[in-house]
Amino acid sequence: MTRLSIVVLACISAAAITVINGIEHDSVCSGSECADSHHTVIKLVKRDDALARKIADEHDMEIRGEPFMDSHYFAYHKDNTGRRRKREVLQSLEAHPHVDAVHEQIPRRRVKRDYVVNDNERVVAEESSDRSRRASGSSIVDQGISKQRRQAGGGLEIPRLPFRDPLYNDQWYLVGNAVGGFDMNVRKAWLLGYAGRNVSISILDDGIQRDHPDLAANYDPLASTDINDHDDDPTPQNNGDNKHGTRCAGEVAAIANNNECGVGVAFKSKIGGVRMLDGAVSDSVEAASLSLNQNHIDIYSASWGPEDDGKTFDGPGPLAREAFYRGIKNGRGGKGNIFVWASGNGGSRQDSCSADGYTTSVYTLSISSATFDNHRPWYLEECPSSIATTYSSANINQPAIVTVDVPRGCTKMHTGTSASAPLAAGIIALALEANPALTWRDMQHLVLRTANPSPLLDNPGWSVNGVGRKISNKFGYGLMDGHELVKWAKDWRTVPEQHICTYEYKLAAPNPRPLTGRFQLNFTLEVNGCETGTPVLYLEHVQVHSTVRYGKRGDLKLTLFSPAGTRSVLLPPRPQDFNVNGFHKWPFLSVQMWGEDPRGTWVLMVESVTTNANLAGTFHDWTLLLYGTADPAHPSDKVHPPGPPPTGQSILGRMQQLTSQTEDAAPEAISIGDLRSVGDCHEECAAGCHESHSASACFKCKHLQQSLRNRAGFKCVTYCDDGFFKEDDSCKKCSPLCHTCTKAEVCSTCPGALLLIDVDHFAHWDHGQCVEKCPEGLVADYESNLIQARCVLKENFCGAGYFMLPNNGRCSNCDEACELCHGAGPIYCDKCAQGFGNRSVGYCRPCCSNGQKPIDDHCEDCSAAAIASFSHLSHSSPFWSFVWLLLAVSLVGLVIAAGYFFFRDERSRDGVEYTALPRYNAASGAINLDFSDDSDSEDEIMKTGQI
Ligand SMILES: *[C@@H]1O[C@H](CO)[C@@H](O)[C@H](O)[C@H]1NC(C)=O
Ligand SMILES: *[C@@H]1O[C@H](CO)[C@@H](O)[C@H](O)[C@H]1NC(C)=O
Ligand SMILES: *[C@@H]1O[C@H](CO)[C@@H](O)[C@H](O)[C@H]1NC(C)=O
């Protein structure tokens, strides 16, 4: 079969999304605050530890620790390598034939999501255990069940409650002692026999006290490592600062009935820790942690992130994004690792977890917190990507979380969303024991379906989404419920394949749209659930990628309305965010429209709440990414009927199709005259059937005929199943090299974590091939389509009107002559700006105004007449052909040279920064692009903001 060169990527309705998104990295360390702890990651073409050491040695470097993600090695310069020498070394490494890539790593600021309390713990502890004992409703379950110690159906051992552990009764969030007698219903899950057996959890943090008496027996060395010191021992450095990871581990897996501290939620699970926060945290440190032993570790729990200071936008870098992707595609034998994330502690600084790219990742379950009296804690951050809530600390002297401590002993003062994520990880471990076949997406479905909003309904901000579930920007879908979760998990059937529909908003002129002062703008998109390919009829994640530039980022507010009327505040105002740049293709996430039918009108409302009428900016773009399934994920879900089916051919055409189709399993020969229909045919049948209600017993199909996977015959479908593609009126099998495809050999998704080539005719690669790594000249894009990572052209991701400075990775304005450009000056225009032309010379220059002459005034005759005469000239005269050829050759040379300088430096993508905003003159409507200084003004404003 010949490959077609024009390919419609399934469900990408608008323009192709080949642009790599620039992810903001406000937390990249700079200046004196970050020690010079830079290290380098060398990616070899393939893993070869001896070769890596040899190459490093040749470059005065040393390899430390184990490689991660196949063939990435941590390399460190030997002492006192000067800057200049370092640069030479990097160049030489890049040129090395066995080196695939070199990433110089810049540390980022990452903070633990607890907060320090002056623990006069003892006093607090005594008081609170008194209260526990007195509280009414205490231990109803414990008392009722302590007699019935027996085996559950599956032969699981049922624990006898209450546990003997001394602090068990202080675990108010487990023993029904939250105000109102609430807890997270974990005891009922235990009493079904679940305790997290054979589930491995790794805490990515500052280490784990693996010999703690309450953890040692559950310690899992395969889920542990030390990335800070590049050895196997994750034991924290005991200097008073590194208790965090161990405390998180205790919440998950502290041993039950051993007279030590309290009990972990999944007290039979295997617990490990990665020591990675006690040192410089770079993209590679995160990637190495997130990708550790992905086939062994089931759940990764992270209670840290970019600073929760209310003014940071930051998210995972390229290696961490790849680690997440590999985790969900290949981890747990293809079922996908489960990443649990603490939503953030910036509540008192009016921070929003929407500005944290880890919690807005579709791959993470982002967990919020509630206090013992069912309120929002002071540190809680709001955003629509939080999926559910677990209990945690409140104010000082109010009950917090009980767990183990470093190096010995226990604490009752574990705090913040830091404490919430591990509790969620523990509950999820119970569900994985109940059903180890659950995928990463199954788990998200289960957590939000079983979360219980009732205890938290006294808080303002709840609403009901389009499928009747209560949602909150504070608590997601409510408090996690261990019992409901394991009950649902046990009988859960894996959800159907996830698909994506991408809708890119076409901004009418003026584009970009100038913004001033206080405003409210609505941008609407009509969505039909995808014209091509498999439709998305049941939403899961909804992402909005948007670029807005504004004089004070914190005054912007973004709200998304779904067709069902669900309102998600994607970005609340953040008063402390004085950044003057805005954000660039930032991926906002809402999980609040889960289950809704996406067809209809979507509205993105962009507002400013500023009081400063002079603030200016520009709105550039937004893209709506709808993730979901074509079929309901659970039989109890309300059915959304598919839209108008694809128009079919005539009966005659269909019959010919039917009889001529031979390459797959041959359908039964049909002679309509001989067959008598039994009636009550499946709705997809046309002209009768030989068995009622069966889609594989039709004589003919209404829409599409798909060969059966394992036997002869066919079934009738509305759209092709995954692994089949539509051709005329039938669905044919994809090549085994594809997971799904649009033509037999043109994949739309790849098996496992393979990458999809998404450029037409690049070198000897064609669109739709699946590869292990991107061929030379293409780069992997893990961001713009999360279902399938792709190889795309290296592209300018600064956005229209900007280009990236090769030396520092900053985005700079194009020359005034260009609308689009890839370098400084008019010679690098990709498109001339209005009032500029390039017809007679190879660059954009001003159009001649009245009376000006092209030759005398060095301007361009942009009149219609000139176009005609010029094109005449250029076609007829050999002289002009020669000039054009010369120009073309030199231009190609320049482009190649420029491209080389731009993209040589992989890390430049991390450090995206912008020059200052164009100043918008509200009176004249003019945007002043002429400014020289690009960074200092911003720093000044930031400082003002901190006062
Ligand atoms: C434990 O998990 C592994 C894979 O993670 C599986 O192969 C094994 O069968 C499981 N054992 C039990 C007892 O469930
Ligand atoms: C934008 O849309 C929302 C929701 O439909 C509506 O409440 C609001 O008034 C609209 N604003 C403007 C300026 O049209
Ligand atoms: C000239 O401008 C046109 C349209 O703006 C563009 O397609 C073309 O690439 C430009 N050529 C040069 C040499 O800049």
Side-chain angles (χ1 to χ4, degrees):
M1 162 172 279
T2 55
R3 284 186 200 131
L4 287 192
S5 57
I6 299 165
V7 170
V8 184
L9 235 193
C11 278
I12 295 176
S13 65
I17 40 170
T18 45
V19 179
I20 297 182
N21 297 314
I23 301 291
E24 257 67 26
H25 286 299
D26 290 351
S27 299
V28 169
C29 265
S30 56
S32 54
E33 69 191 280
C34 301
D36 185 25
S37 43
H38 294 208
H39 57 271
T40 305
V41 168
I42 300 175
K43 184 188 179 201
L44 293 191
V45 174
K46 66 180 211 288
R47 179 173 178 172
D48 183 339
D49 298 359
L51 180 64
R53 276 192 297 273
K54 183 165 162 283
I55 293 173
D57 208 47
E58 287 163 10
H59 290 88
D60 286 337
M61 296 180 100
E62 83 179 307
I63 302 288
R64 293 192 198 150
E66 291 288 304
F68 63 98
M69 294 200 295
D70 306 335
S71 58
H72 292 76
Y73 292 85
F74 287 102
Y76 290 76
H77 293 283
K78 289 188 181 149
D79 291 342
N80 300 327
T81 312
R83 264 172 193 277
R84 195 197 168 104
R85 170 76 187 129
K86 276 187 189 169
R87 220 174 304 133
E88 286 166 12
V89 162
L90 292 180
Q91 276 167 8
S92 160
L93 279 173
E94 271 165 9
H96 196 287
H98 290 107
V99 173
D100 196 30
V102 181
H103 309 263
E104 217 188 341
Q105 296 291 298
I106 311 165
R108 291 129 193 273
R109 289 183 292 268
R110 292 290 182 258
V111 294
K112 303 169 190 177
R113 288 181 166 164
D114 63 352
Y115 49 90
V116 178
V117 277
N118 276 337
D119 35 351
N120 33 21
E121 279 176 39
R122 280 297 113 205
V123 186
V124 179
E126 250 56 89
E127 275 172 16
S128 93
S129 47
D130 271 5
R131 182 171 42 235
S132 313
R133 270 173 234 121
R134 280 198 308 269
S136 63
S138 150
S139 305
I140 292 169
V141 178
D142 286 2
Q143 287 154 15
I145 311 291
S146 56
K147 288 172 227 121
Q148 41 164 289
R149 176 181 186 157
R150 49 207 56 128
Q151 304 262 294
L156 294 171
E157 190 195 330
I158 306 285
R160 181 192 297 271
L161 299 182
F163 288 119
R164 286 182 282 122
D165 306 69
L167 298 184
Y168 174 65
N169 271 324
D170 290 317
Q171 294 183 288
W172 52 273
Y173 43 92
L174 299 177
V175 299
N177 275 340
V179 168
F182 293 116
D183 62 17
M184 296 181 291
N185 239 342
V186 168
R187 286 175 301 171
K188 278 196 179 164
W190 291 340
L191 293 170
L192 293 173
Y194 300 117
R197 287 172 200 84
N198 205 23
V199 178
S200 173
I201 300 124
S202 184
I203 307 287
L204 313 183
D205 213 290
D206 57 15
I208 177 174
Q209 190 76 45
R210 61 194 172 94
D211 58 357
H212 192 289
D214 210 15
L215 290 176
N218 285 341
Y219 175 70
D220 182 358
L222 292 176
S224 305
T225 193
D226 178 355
I227 292 179
N228 291 134
D229 282 343
H230 299 295
D231 59 42
D232 299 338
D233 183 359
T235 304
Q237 188 190 167
N238 185 9
N239 60 1
D241 279 347
N242 297 297
K243 299 165 182 287
H244 192 249
T246 305
R247 288 177 173 190
C248 290
E251 296 179 77
V252 180
I255 295 158
N257 267 336
N258 65 343
N259 287 319
E260 289 277 348
C261 303
V263 301
V265 171
F267 52 84
K268 297 266 188 187
S269 63
K270 291 181 284 182
I271 188 79
V274 177
R275 179 168 173 259
M276 46 81 68
L277 280 188
D278 190 14
V281 184
S282 62
D283 187 24
S284 55
V285 167
E286 294 177 5
S289 311
L290 291 164
S291 63
L292 178 71
N293 224 343
Q294 287 181 328
N295 264 322
H296 174 79
I297 298 169
D298 297 289
I299 305 167
Y300 299 78
S301 178
S303 293
W304 47 268
E307 286 165 301
D308 298 322
D309 55 8
K311 58 186 185 190
T312 298
F313 262 84
D314 199 68
L319 293 171
R321 290 200 295 268
E322 182 175 348
F324 277 127
Y325 186 75
R326 286 167 173 244
I328 58 106
K329 291 287 180 182
N330 283 342
R332 294 179 62 233
K335 289 171 290 184
N337 297 120
I338 299 185
F339 298 99
V340 180
W341 222 275
S343 68
N345 277 354
S348 64
R349 287 143 169 182
Q350 293 117 308
D351 202 355
S352 166
C353 27
S354 279
D356 170 341
Y358 298 85
T359 66
T360 66
S361 164
V362 306
Y363 307 136
T364 59
L365 289 124
S366 143
I367 303 295
S368 187
S369 305
T371 59
F372 74 107
D373 56 358
N374 306 306
H375 284 110
R376 71 168 289 169
W378 59 268
Y379 51 82
L380 179 146
E381 291 185 29
E382 299 195 17
C383 65
S385 60
S386 296
I387 196 163
T389 299
T390 58
Y391 279 118
S392 184
S393 61
N395 295 330
I396 293 176
N397 293 338
Q398 291 180 322
I401 301 300
V402 174
T403 182
V404 305
D405 214 349
V406 171
R408 291 279 170 273
C410 323
T411 178
K412 296 180 182 181
M413 296 307 291
H414 190 35
T415 57
T417 52
S418 269
S420 279
L423 290 176
I427 297 172
I428 287 169
L430 303 178
L432 278 187
E433 183 187 7
N435 184 353
L438 297 174
T439 67
W440 68 280
R441 273 171 57 236
D442 289 334
M443 197 54 83
Q444 299 199 3
H445 271 270
L446 287 164
V447 166
L448 70 86
R449 282 161 192 264
T450 58
N452 178 13
S454 332
L456 306 173
L457 287 179
D458 275 350
N459 296 276
W462 286 94
S463 56
V464 177
N465 71 8
V467 290
R469 295 196 183 105
K470 294 199 177 69
I471 48 165
S472 153
N473 266 22
K474 300 183 182 73
F475 305 111
Y477 286 82
L479 195 63
M480 282 184 78
D481 185 313
H483 180 232
E484 286 297 310
L485 189 70
V486 297
K487 247 178 33 193
W488 277 67
K490 220 167 134 34
D491 302 323
W492 187 259
R493 302 258 317 261
T494 293
V495 292
E497 189 91 18
Q498 192 180 42
H499 298 277
I500 178 176
C501 286
T502 304
Y503 289 84
E504 204 174 307
Y505 185 80
K506 291 270 173 275
L507 184 61
N511 178 357
R513 183 79 43 94
L515 308 169
T516 29
R518 223 180 162 97
F519 62 87
Q520 187 186 74
L521 289 171
N522 277 0
F523 301 97
T524 61
L525 268 175
E526 288 302 322
V527 164
N528 54 18
C530 291
E531 290 103 347
T532 57
T534 315
V536 170
L537 300 182
Y538 301 84
L539 281 175
E540 292 177 346
H541 312 91
V542 175
Q543 272 192 316
V544 168
H545 291 184
S546 184
T547 304
V548 185
R549 294 170 46 70
Y550 195 62
K552 185 188 172 198
R553 185 169 63 192
D555 280 348
L556 290 171
K557 180 178 180 188
L558 264 65
T559 313
L560 182 70
F561 298 86
S562 76
T566 307
R567 174 177 165 275
S568 274
V569 178
L570 298 178
L571 180 67
R574 297 195 304 165
Q576 320 228 9
D577 183 358
F578 287 90
N579 180 295
V580 297
N581 290 321
F583 40 83
H584 184 82
K585 305 261 184 200
W586 182 258
F588 294 99
L589 174 70
S590 171
V591 296
Q592 298 182 336
M593 289 124 179
W594 205 280
E596 290 184 11
D597 184 339
R599 291 169 295 179
T601 306
W602 290 78
V603 181
L604 178 69
M605 183 162 87
V606 182
E607 300 172 78
S608 164
V609 300
T610 193
T611 49
N612 176 358
N614 295 322
L615 280 186
T618 41
F619 179 84
H620 293 251
D621 50 61
W622 76 288
T623 303
L624 180 66
L625 292 93
L626 304 171
Y627 297 84
T629 58
D631 297 303
H634 191 264
S636 69
D637 292 351
K638 186 174 155 260
V639 172
H640 308 153
T647 49
Q649 288 169 289
S650 67
I651 297 280
L652 185 67
R654 218 175 282 142
M655 288 306 292
Q656 280 169 349
Q657 180 62 40
L658 236 163
T659 44
S660 68
Q661 192 205 0
T662 50
E663 63 231 65
D664 288 317
E668 305 146 277
I670 290 177
S671 151
I672 294 208
D674 299 346
L675 296 168
R676 273 201 30 230
S677 176
V678 298
D680 276 341
C681 294
H682 189 272
E683 57 183 12
E684 284 297 321
C685 294
C689 57
H690 56 80
E691 195 188 319
S692 301
H693 308 295
S694 165
S696 51
C698 307
F699 296 155
K700 290 195 300 172
C701 296
K702 256 190 207 155
H703 303 119
L704 297 167
Q705 171 190 313
Q706 178 175 297
S707 49
L708 294 173
R709 278 181 199 271
N710 307 318
R711 55 197 165 95
F714 63 89
K715 68 173 183 176
C716 296
V717 293
T718 334
Y719 46 83
C720 300
D721 284 349
D722 294 307
F724 292 85
F725 66 99
K726 178 170 171 283
E727 192 170 277
D728 299 325
D729 279 3
S730 58
C731 298
K732 296 184 177 171
K733 257 210 176 71
C734 294
S735 145
L737 302 173
C738 301
H739 179 60
T740 61
C741 69
T742 52
K743 288 276 171 294
E745 307 287 330
V746 180
C747 308
S748 46
T749 59
C750 297
L754 294 185
L755 294 146
L756 181 75
I757 305 268
D758 196 14
V759 284
D760 290 330
H761 302 304
F762 181 83
H764 61 285
W765 298 97
D766 269 345
H767 187 290
Q769 283 170 280
C770 294
V771 292
E772 210 142 313
K773 60 176 215 165
C774 291
E776 191 72 38
L778 299 184
V779 285
D781 171 12
Y782 287 98
E783 200 57 31
S784 56
N785 179 343
L786 300 177
I787 290 177
Q788 179 58 57
R790 300 162 314 136
C791 297
V792 298
L793 284 171
K794 295 182 174 182
E795 225 176 304
N796 174 11
F797 58 86
C798 285
Y802 300 88
F803 71 97
M804 182 171 289
L805 289 169
N807 50 351
N808 63 2
R810 277 170 176 253
C811 293
S812 188
N813 283 98
C814 291
D815 190 273
E816 61 167 0
C818 324
E819 186 175 325
L820 304 172
C821 71
H822 56 275
I827 193 87
Y828 290 110
C829 296
D830 295 319
K831 192 177 172 197
C832 297
Q834 276 222 329
F836 292 82
N838 69 356
R839 280 183 198 96
S840 57
V841 293
Y843 63 94
C844 301
R845 56 179 189 170
C847 294
C848 300
S849 52
N850 278 346
Q852 285 186 318
K853 296 252 176 351
I855 310 266
D856 304 344
D857 297 303
H858 302 289
C859 61
E860 188 70 33
D861 187 350
C862 302
S863 65
I867 302 171
S869 73
F870 184 76
S871 64
H872 171 74
L873 256 181
S874 63
H875 286 302
S876 58
S877 145
F879 168 74
W880 278 108
S881 308
F882 176 69
V883 169
W884 273 116
L885 189 70
L886 213 68
L887 275 170
V889 167
S890 49
L891 208 80
V892 165
L894 278 168
V895 169
I896 291 172
Y900 175 73
F901 280 112
F902 284 178
F903 301 114
R904 227 160 29 119
D905 192 354
E906 284 275 344
R907 103 198 124 87
S908 56
R909 217 189 132 186
D910 298 0
V912 182
E913 283 177 59
Y914 289 89
T915 50
L917 260 186
R919 281 181 274 276
Y920 177 67
N921 182 331
S924 70
I927 297 175
N928 178 10
L929 292 169
D930 177 37
F931 42 80
S932 40
D933 188 89
D934 58 11
S935 61
D936 297 346
S937 55
E938 175 191 343
D939 292 340
E940 262 162 45
I941 294 184
M942 298 285 274
K943 277 181 207 123
T944 325
Q946 285 169 327
I947 292 166

